[in-house]
Amino acid sequence: KYSKDASLLYTQSALETLEELDALNAVDAGKAKSFVVSLKNSDGGFGFSQNSKTSTLQTTYYAVQVLQSLGGLDLLDRAKTAAYVEGFEKKSGGFGFVRVARVATPRNTYMALYVLKTLGALSDATRKNALKFLASTPYLNEKSRQMPQLNELLYAVESLNVLNAED
């Protein structure tokens, strides 16, 4: 049984903090991995908590981050999780918050690229499309007249890091 307040976001944030403090050994890795796996859904995605089990791109990203930091990626059905994440790709080459929306954002693109790369499922076509999308955003397009948002700029840069983009 897990705390009713436990969530993937809180788990990921706590592990990230402990990693920075070089104190990851303070966590019961088995229990944490078991919690993450308890939120796995049949669609390949992950829910937020025991009370909110609907899969989202963000919660799937948190799940993969947690499992990676705890050495638990073997608990995933990599192909199924990758297929779930790929379902968020938009015609623009970026990734959106929900499958039916047409709008992609650098944040969601970063999360999707991180998951796909971590799972060994980042294809050349997805990489190429993501670079095309990122180049069209106000964060990388010098001709854009749109006012950039700092947090989205961060995710655009992080996406380029995931893609190992030089330019």
Side-chain angles (χ1 to χ4, degrees), residues 2-3 15 33 71 81 85 102 105 118 130-131 133 138-139 159-160 167:
Y2 305 102
S3 165
L15 289 176
K33 288 188 279 190
T81 299
V85 169
R102 293 184 179 152
T105 67
T118 300
L131 285 170
F133 163 72
Y139 313 104
S159 293
L160 293 173
D167 298 329

Side-chain angles (χ1 to χ4, degrees), residues 22-90:
D22 199 25
L24 201 52
N25 60 348
V27 173
D28 180 339
K31 189 172 182 178
K33 288 188 279 190
S34 177
F35 169 68
V36 173
V37 169
S38 77
L39 300 174
K40 184 168 41 173
N41 292 316
S42 61
D43 61 7
F46 288 78
F48 180 75
S49 68
Q50 297 297 319
N51 294 326
S52 179
K53 292 195 173 197
T54 303
S55 297
T56 69
L57 176 58
Q58 287 180 320
T59 54
T60 301
Y61 162 78
Y62 297 139
V64 170
Q65 262 198 330
V66 168
L67 291 173
Q68 181 187 37
S69 69
L70 297 174
L73 289 177
D74 58 316
L75 299 172
L76 287 172
D77 179 337
R78 290 175 186 242
K80 197 170 198 175
T81 299
Y84 173 76
V85 169
E86 288 167 342
F88 289 86
E89 188 172 4
K90 306 303 171 203

